[in-house]
Amino acid sequence: MADRPLKELGWKTPLEVADKSSMDHLASVGICGIIDPIAPGIPPGSDTATLALLGYDVFKVYTGRGSFEALGWGFEVSENDVCFRCNFATVDENLKVLDRRAGRIADADASRLAESLRNIRLSKGDIEFFFTNTIQHRAVLVLRGLKLSPAVSDSDPGMEGVKVAEIKPLDNSQEAKFTAEILSELAQKFHEVLEKHPVNKERVARGQPPANFILFRGAGTLPKIKPISELYGVKASCVAVTALIRGVCKTAGMQLLNVKGATGTPQTDYIAKAKAAVEALETNDFVMLHVKAPDVASHDGNAKKKVEVIEKIDKMLAYILNKVDLGETYVALTADHTTSCATRNHEGDPVPLAIMGPYVRSDDVEEFSERACVKGGLGRLRGKHVTPILMNLLGKVKKFGA
Amino acid sequence: MADRPLKELGWKTPLEVADKSSMDHLASVGICGIIDPIAPGIPPGSDTATLALLGYDVFKVYTGRGSFEALGWGFEVSENDVCFRCNFATVDENLKVLDRRAGRIADADASRLAESLRNIRLSKGDIEFFFTNTIQHRAVLVLRGLKLSPAVSDSDPGMEGVKVAEIKPLDNSQEAKFTAEILSELAQKFHEVLEKHPVNKERVARGQPPANFILFRGAGTLPKIKPISELYGVKASCVAVTALIRGVCKTAGMQLLNVKGATGTPQTDYIAKAKAAVEALETNDFVMLHVKAPDVASHDGNAKKKVEVIEKIDKMLAYILNKVDLGETYVALTADHTTSCATRNHEGDPVPLAIMGPYVRSDDVEEFSERACVKGGLGRLRGKHVTPILMNLLGKVKKFGA
């Protein structure tokens, strides 16, 4: 949700131009501040940012994106598994990447393609793999075996117009070498099946790019962290669609709620999500509600859409503020990172935070935005401080010392 | 001294409503900021908070409360000693705790009881113990021997109406098991002596609860830290009554001053403490003056009393500002933690800090309070930064680098 001042918005940020009376109300009755999700100047991933906002030191606990994607999709990741985020992509005959998202392939097509990939046999018998599409072009791969390592490079080059990257071991271990070999074999076998698949023939006939390659990235293992339920003795749940976010929340010991109409896109059902969060608060101490839409609009460089999405989130917040008991509920609003419409990337700029609720030391900030919240009573903090601050307000943090 | 906005004060904090012209003067001519004694959201103990404010990283050096209590009471703690904070308590015949403070037993009674406990013999001959009452129901136990461990649980259940807790080893070591056994034996033998003690018969006859049990908690060993005298080459003293605070200061290599009329309660002689501090400045580089009273009022949930106490501290500060040479003296004012009258607990909310003296970069804050100091020139810092900042102003911090 956070951004930089944009020329097309008269050098204001989307938050600064959006009509968002509920967010501004939260800021004006609450305490505000500015948060570096990871550290000043470090562009966060959505996984590291969320993990940090949940109170963890990501420099100590982060073990790669892959396991969060798999967990978020409901896969039970085991200790020795190595997991990958994957993309259905379009490549030409020289393996040059033409479209990293295969025209943002529809779920139905991706499902049929994924189905055919499951029957592939690996030459090394003691390794199992699990592959599933998730949303659109997104997919997850889990390798299971005793001699695997996450120290392998991505085949996803991260851009279009260049060749698929060679998968290389990133250290000198036998395990890394072995894992890179397995992945290269798998990529090749996936490609062979996809190239001649009827679904792709149909796609080409319809004028759509064929999803003829699976790109791998973000090798990761299960992070070893204490769940927040144990750290603070709270029951916690999350309302989120994005697999990566769900995976982080699952790792943190939070219950994953499913909401009909929530899509992880700008067309999500904002009020359905709000309803689910409010309901969850009846049986939970802590509920995190995540909306992916502003990030999607930012990656598309669409400032106008981003402003619209922020206004929808404002209405979602209005619903929540109307429904919860504000005499005993704390509401915190923040962004997991800055994604700028100008650069279309995650940036290392900080994000605004506002917290309202009983006994907070309210300040004189009256607007929820990147620049207004800087002047708030929380000052400038790191992402990892946010959950302890909230848990302290709930009386859930153990005293350190006597 | 720090608090949250309170309903009974019109949603202001005790500092915000108190009449405190000297504190406000200090803030207005000085530089202000907001301090997390330990870290954002972490409720500090008085020991960890003071240790942090003296410049130490408590996550690295803190070894439990017990040794500070013993040191603060003037006991020379050795390297292998394990120390405990104790309470004279009242239990029934089933060891249910009826009063954790034995009716806040008077010093005279506690002294006579403690005297009788010193003659007890332990079944293991190679362990010595030292037991002394301190103030009211408070007492200290030191175990001395080569095979001891601080990894044992408290017998103090921390609340009334439940049984005395069983003392258990907290790790798998022989030492922890052995220490737990020694403590259980000692608790039993103390109980036997106290049950039939004439002092308790007198107490019951007077309608007072008998002090028939000694509760143990906060097992701790001597922390291994460099004294501030050595770290900065300064002579440092403290004016404090609370044993815990005195113990921390002693550990930090500070001289402990005794002040007649200083009691560690809201009825302390504030001006006597100020006089002692001003006098000490003639022969010391650094003097810490600690007042326990606002914490006491907060634990009692007494906002009105807290405001009164703050106003007395303001007069104490006025005395100091009148007496010291402000051309060469730095005066810093802060709280060691937030204790809220609303929750009656230590909270993880930050505390205000103001520093005045030659060459400080004064800011435009004009009031000493939790919310006003947020806007000060120091920004938001951790407790461990405070002493280095003061020592730097004194020219006592060694350059790091060339």
Side-chain angles (χ1 to χ4, degrees):
Chain A
M1 186 154 65
D3 207 318
R4 292 174 175 170
L6 301 171
K7 192 175 177 193
E8 63 264 48
L9 301 180
W11 297 113
K12 296 199 166 188
T13 70
L15 270 173
E16 285 170 346
V17 302
D19 181 1
K20 49 170 204 335
S21 57
S22 295
M23 293 188 190
D24 292 343
H25 172 72
L26 201 168
S28 94
V29 302
I31 185 167
C32 301
I34 195 94
I35 304 289
D36 296 289
I38 310 291
I42 311 297
S46 295
D47 48 3
T48 49
T50 304
L51 200 56
L53 287 172
L54 289 173
Y56 298 98
D57 184 338
V58 293
F59 292 118
K60 291 187 183 154
V61 305
Y62 185 62
T63 50
R65 149 179 218 157
S67 58
F68 297 126
E69 292 278 358
L71 284 164
W73 201 248
F75 191 86
E76 288 296 327
V77 180
S78 305
E79 207 180 326
N80 296 310
D81 295 351
V82 179
C83 313
F84 299 83
R85 159 67 193 268
C86 307
N87 268 24
F88 282 89
T90 308
V91 299
D92 71 9
E93 63 282 6
N94 299 315
L95 299 189
K96 189 167 86 175
V97 179
L98 302 176
D99 186 337
R100 283 182 62 244
R101 298 181 183 88
R104 289 194 184 265
I105 183 173
D107 292 350
D109 281 4
S111 291
R112 285 172 63 202
L113 291 171
E115 182 99 24
S116 305
L117 298 179
R118 292 198 190 103
N119 305 320
I120 284 170
R121 292 280 157 264
L122 281 164
S123 59
K124 333 267 176 179
D126 50 351
I127 300 296
E128 279 184 284
F129 79 89
F130 308 90
F131 178 85
T132 185
N133 62 305
T134 59
I135 297 174
Q136 293 180 324
H137 57 281
R138 302 173 187 93
V140 167
L141 171 71
V142 178
L143 294 183
R144 179 165 290 173
L146 291 175
K147 291 175 176 174
L148 297 169
S149 164
V152 290
S153 65
D154 298 345
S155 62
D156 184 349
M159 60 175 77
E160 285 151 9
V162 299
K163 268 194 76 172
V164 170
E166 191 193 340
I167 298 163
K168 293 179 192 161
L170 295 175
D171 63 28
N172 292 323
S173 68
Q174 275 303 316
E175 287 80 0
K177 187 163 169 280
F178 178 70
T179 308
E181 284 166 12
I182 294 275
L183 284 170
S184 301
E185 180 188 342
L186 209 47
Q188 174 60 28
K189 289 187 167 166
F190 280 176
H191 183 46
E192 282 163 19
V193 171
L194 294 171
E195 271 287 69
K196 54 187 181 200
H197 200 285
V199 165
N200 276 328
K201 287 184 181 145
E202 292 164 24
R203 288 180 64 78
V204 171
R206 287 197 300 265
Q208 292 172 321
N212 59 0
F213 205 90
I214 306 293
L215 295 170
F216 306 140
R217 64 184 151 122
T221 54
L222 203 62
K224 283 172 188 136
I225 63 174
K226 268 197 192 171
I228 58 175
S229 49
E230 190 179 326
L231 287 169
Y232 306 104
V234 294
K235 190 172 172 224
S237 290
C238 98
V239 175
V241 175
T242 316
L244 193 58
I245 304 297
R246 286 170 73 88
V248 171
C249 290
K250 173 103 183 182
T251 308
M254 298 165 76
Q255 196 189 338
L256 306 181
L257 304 176
N258 296 306
V259 178
K260 207 173 160 226
T263 59
T265 71
Q267 293 75 42
T268 194
D269 188 339
Y270 296 83
I271 300 300
K273 294 185 84 161
K275 258 187 195 162
V278 170
E279 257 179 51
L281 269 176
E282 285 170 23
T283 52
N284 282 271
D285 303 289
F286 178 66
V287 176
M288 189 186 94
L289 196 175
H290 176 266
V291 180
K292 181 74 176 165
D295 187 56
V296 174
S298 312
H299 282 298
D300 291 344
N302 191 339
K304 189 167 158 281
K305 170 65 82 179
K306 186 163 177 178
V307 170
E308 279 172 33
V309 155
I310 289 170
E311 292 174 350
K312 284 180 181 165
I313 294 174
D314 190 67
K315 291 198 175 60
M316 180 187 81
L317 177 63
Y319 178 93
I320 292 169
L321 295 182
N322 257 318
K323 296 288 178 180
V324 299
D325 179 352
L326 293 174
E328 59 169 30
T329 309
Y330 291 88
V331 182
L333 176 66
T334 191
D336 57 350
H337 47 75
T338 293
T339 316
S340 177
C341 290
T343 63
R344 303 186 178 203
N345 281 325
H346 294 198
E347 298 297 347
D349 310 51
V351 301
L353 168 68
I355 303 171
M356 69 181 278
Y359 303 107
V360 302
R361 292 175 182 166
S362 55
D363 54 35
D364 48 16
V365 173
E366 300 200 333
E367 185 198 345
F368 184 79
S369 75
E370 299 85 349
R371 291 188 277 200
C373 286
V374 168
K375 297 179 183 169
L378 290 168
R380 184 166 184 160
L381 296 167
R382 303 290 166 271
K384 67 178 178 179
H385 298 134
V386 175
T387 289
I389 286 172
L390 293 174
M391 292 298 164
N392 172 56
L393 288 167
L394 293 179
K396 298 288 188 184
V397 186
K398 277 179 214 128
K399 187 163 68 171
F400 180 66
Chain B
M1 186 153 64
D3 210 317
R4 292 174 176 172
L6 300 172
K7 192 174 179 194
E8 64 264 50
L9 300 180
W11 296 114
K12 296 199 165 190
T13 70
L15 270 173
E16 286 171 345
V17 302
D19 182 0
K20 49 171 205 333
S21 56
S22 296
M23 293 188 189
D24 291 343
H25 172 73
L26 199 167
S28 92
V29 302
I31 184 167
C32 300
I34 195 96
I35 304 289
D36 296 289
I38 310 291
I42 311 296
S46 295
D47 49 3
T48 48
T50 304
L51 200 55
L53 288 171
L54 289 172
Y56 299 98
D57 183 338
V58 293
F59 292 117
K60 290 187 184 156
V61 306
Y62 184 63
T63 50
R65 151 181 216 156
S67 58
F68 296 128
E69 292 276 357
L71 285 163
W73 200 248
F75 190 87
E76 287 298 325
V77 181
S78 304
E79 206 181 327
N80 296 312
D81 295 351
V82 179
C83 313
F84 300 83
R85 160 66 194 270
C86 307
N87 269 23
F88 282 89
T90 308
V91 300
D92 71 10
E93 62 281 8
N94 299 316
L95 300 190
K96 188 167 87 175
V97 179
L98 302 176
D99 186 338
R100 282 182 62 245
R101 298 179 183 87
R104 290 195 184 266
I105 183 171
D107 292 349
D109 280 4
S111 290
R112 284 172 64 202
L113 291 171
E115 184 99 24
S116 305
L117 299 180
R118 292 200 188 99
N119 306 320
I120 284 170
R121 291 282 156 262
L122 281 165
S123 59
K124 333 267 176 180
D126 50 351
I127 299 296
E128 280 184 284
F129 79 89
F130 308 90
F131 179 85
T132 184
N133 61 308
T134 60
I135 297 174
Q136 295 179 322
H137 57 281
R138 301 173 186 92
V140 167
L141 170 72
V142 178
L143 295 183
R144 180 165 290 172
L146 291 176
K147 290 176 176 173
L148 296 170
S149 163
V152 289
S153 66
D154 299 344
S155 62
D156 185 350
M159 59 174 77
E160 286 151 9
V162 298
K163 269 194 77 170
V164 170
E166 191 192 340
I167 298 164
K168 292 179 192 162
L170 296 176
D171 64 27
N172 292 323
S173 67
Q174 275 303 315
E175 288 80 1
K177 189 164 168 277
F178 178 70
T179 308
E181 285 167 10
I182 294 275
L183 284 170
S184 300
E185 180 187 343
L186 210 47
Q188 173 60 26
K189 289 187 168 166
F190 280 177
H191 183 45
E192 283 163 19
V193 171
L194 293 171
E195 270 288 68
K196 53 188 180 201
H197 200 286
V199 165
N200 275 328
K201 289 185 181 142
E202 292 163 25
R203 288 179 65 78
V204 171
R206 285 197 303 265
Q208 292 172 319
N212 60 0
F213 206 89
I214 306 294
L215 296 170
F216 306 139
R217 66 185 149 125
T221 54
L222 202 61
K224 283 171 188 137
I225 63 174
K226 271 195 191 173
I228 58 175
S229 49
E230 194 180 314
L231 286 170
Y232 307 104
V234 294
K235 191 172 172 225
S237 290
C238 99
V239 175
V241 174
T242 316
L244 195 59
I245 305 296
R246 286 170 73 88
V248 171
C249 290
K250 174 100 180 180
T251 309
M254 297 166 76
Q255 196 188 338
L256 306 182
L257 304 176
N258 297 305
V259 178
K260 205 174 160 225
T263 59
T265 71
Q267 292 76 43
T268 195
D269 188 339
Y270 296 82
I271 299 300
K273 293 185 86 160
K275 258 186 195 163
V278 170
E279 257 177 53
L281 269 176
E282 286 170 22
T283 53
N284 283 271
D285 302 290
F286 178 68
V287 176
M288 189 187 95
L289 195 174
H290 176 266
V291 180
K292 180 75 177 166
D295 188 54
V296 175
S298 311
H299 282 297
D300 291 344
N302 192 336
K304 189 165 159 278
K305 169 65 81 180
K306 186 164 178 178
V307 171
E308 278 171 34
V309 156
I310 289 170
E311 291 175 349
K312 284 180 181 165
I313 295 173
D314 190 66
K315 290 195 176 60
M316 181 188 81
L317 177 63
Y319 179 93
I320 292 169
L321 296 181
N322 258 317
K323 296 289 178 179
V324 300
D325 179 351
L326 293 174
E328 58 170 30
T329 309
Y330 292 89
V331 182
L333 177 65
T334 191
D336 56 351
H337 47 77
T338 292
T339 316
S340 177
C341 289
T343 62
R344 302 186 179 204
N345 282 325
H346 294 197
E347 298 295 347
D349 309 52
V351 300
L353 167 69
I355 303 170
M356 70 181 276
Y359 305 107
V360 301
R361 295 176 182 166
S362 55
D363 54 35
D364 48 16
V365 174
E366 299 201 333
E367 186 199 343
F368 184 80
S369 75
E370 299 85 349
R371 292 189 276 201
C373 286
V374 167
K375 297 178 181 172
L378 291 167
R380 184 166 186 163
L381 297 168
R382 303 291 167 268
K384 67 180 178 178
H385 298 133
V386 175
T387 289
I389 286 172
L390 293 173
M391 292 298 163
N392 173 55
L393 288 167
L394 295 177
K396 299 289 188 185
V397 185
K398 279 178 214 127
K399 186 162 65 174
F400 179 69

